[in-house]
């Protein structure tokens, strides 16, 4: 086994898979039963706000220590913002967030906003009164192309990819292949 010295790499990406992904409501439920949708979302938010991740403090400190040498990006499947609550920056959330909200009317000018109050009853847009929704990737939706672009941009300049995931699926394999195509190193944990 060869040792890897992180300080020899300028751009490092941590891909952090989720141990288990919560069962998420569908966009159909949002359209057909707004109240039931929000009950499920509030339950997930209350569970998420108390979640802890021992690795989060380490990654935050690692980012701060490595900051003068280059960039450390975290790509995660988690939607609970545990990394940001620990102080991590440069986080790409593939599955969106339980704590950022947008209007369901794409023509509305509401800028997505953060709401950490798990007891908040704000379910309608203050501008157009359409339903709000979390920026969360719902059960029947694909990953947002803009989010995927940010992830791939970080990977294309990556010199070291550290994958911490319970399973190596096709999605992770494509990220590994992308990093290897630009002569980056990959560590699977």
């Amino acid at each position: 086994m060869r040792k890897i010295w992180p300080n020899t790499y300028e751009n490092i990406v941590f891909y952090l898979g989720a141990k288990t992904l919560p069962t998420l409501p569908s966009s159909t439920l949002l359209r057909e039963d707004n109240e039931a949708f929000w009950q499920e979302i509030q339950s997930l938010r209350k569970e998420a706000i108390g979640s802890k991740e021992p690795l989060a403090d380490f990654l935050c400190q690692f980012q701060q220590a490595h900051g003068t040498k280059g960039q450390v990006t975290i790509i995660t499947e988690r939607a609970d913002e545990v990394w940001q609550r620990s102080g991590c920056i440069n986080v790409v959330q593939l599955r969106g967030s339980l704590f950022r909200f947008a209007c369901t009317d794409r023509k509305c000018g509401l800028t997505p906003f953060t709401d950490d109050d798990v007891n908040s009853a704000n379910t309608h847009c203050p501008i157009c009164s359409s339903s709000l929704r979390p920026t969360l990737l719902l059960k029947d939706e694909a990953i947002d192309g803009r989010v995927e672009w940010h992830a791939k941009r970080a990977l294309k300049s990556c010199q070291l990819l550290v994958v911490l995931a319970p399973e190596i699926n096709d999605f992770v394999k494509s990220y590994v292949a992308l990093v290897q195509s630009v002569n980056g190193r990959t560590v699977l944990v």
Side-chain angles (χ1 to χ4, degrees):
M1 180 183 338
R2 288 184 4 200
K3 289 185 178 180
I4 294 177
W5 302 101
N7 60 346
T8 62
Y9 300 97
E10 285 183 23
N11 294 315
I12 300 173
V13 173
F14 285 89
Y15 178 91
L16 307 169
K19 294 175 189 148
T20 57
L21 293 173
T23 303
L24 301 172
S26 68
S27 58
T28 304
L29 184 62
L30 173 62
R31 286 189 306 273
E32 295 176 0
D33 190 348
N34 196 29
E35 188 174 322
F37 174 84
W38 278 101
Q39 285 176 350
E40 287 189 40
I41 292 299
Q42 291 299 68
S43 174
L44 290 169
R45 284 167 47 91
K46 286 177 181 174
E47 183 180 319
I49 201 72
S51 65
K52 300 287 184 215
E53 176 60 58
L55 184 60
D57 291 334
F58 164 77
L59 284 177
C60 181
Q61 291 170 6
F62 184 82
Q63 277 186 323
Q64 290 170 355
H66 194 76
T68 58
K69 297 174 185 75
Q71 183 163 327
V72 177
T73 303
I74 297 169
I75 300 173
T76 181
E77 292 183 30
R78 293 179 68 159
D80 58 7
E81 295 202 3
V82 70
W83 312 111
Q84 293 91 325
R85 285 197 313 270
S86 293
C88 292
I89 56 173
N90 298 327
V91 178
V92 177
Q93 291 181 268
L94 294 175
R95 301 196 178 278
S97 171
L98 283 164
F99 298 98
R100 287 194 49 79
F101 294 90
C103 183
T104 55
D105 182 351
R106 295 188 187 266
K107 296 175 188 168
C108 178
L110 181 71
T111 302
F113 64 94
T114 300
D115 183 358
D116 292 331
D117 181 2
V118 295
N119 296 311
S120 176
N122 297 331
T123 61
H124 289 87
C125 177
I127 295 175
C128 71
S129 299
S130 294
S131 293
L132 288 175
R133 64 159 290 164
T135 59
L136 181 69
L137 186 68
L138 300 177
K139 183 172 23 181
D140 52 353
E141 296 176 325
I143 291 176
D144 184 318
R146 294 168 295 190
V147 173
E148 182 74 4
W149 180 84
H150 284 290
K152 287 184 176 179
R153 187 180 78 180
L155 291 164
K156 285 180 182 176
S157 64
C158 173
Q159 296 164 325
L160 176 64
L161 170 64
V162 180
V163 177
L164 300 160
E167 65 177 273
I168 307 301
N169 56 32
D170 289 338
F171 197 64
V172 175
K173 288 178 186 175
S174 72
Y175 281 2
V176 168
L178 179 58
V179 170
Q180 290 174 341
S181 74
V182 294
N183 297 320
R185 302 234 6 229
T186 303
V187 177
L188 306 174
V189 181

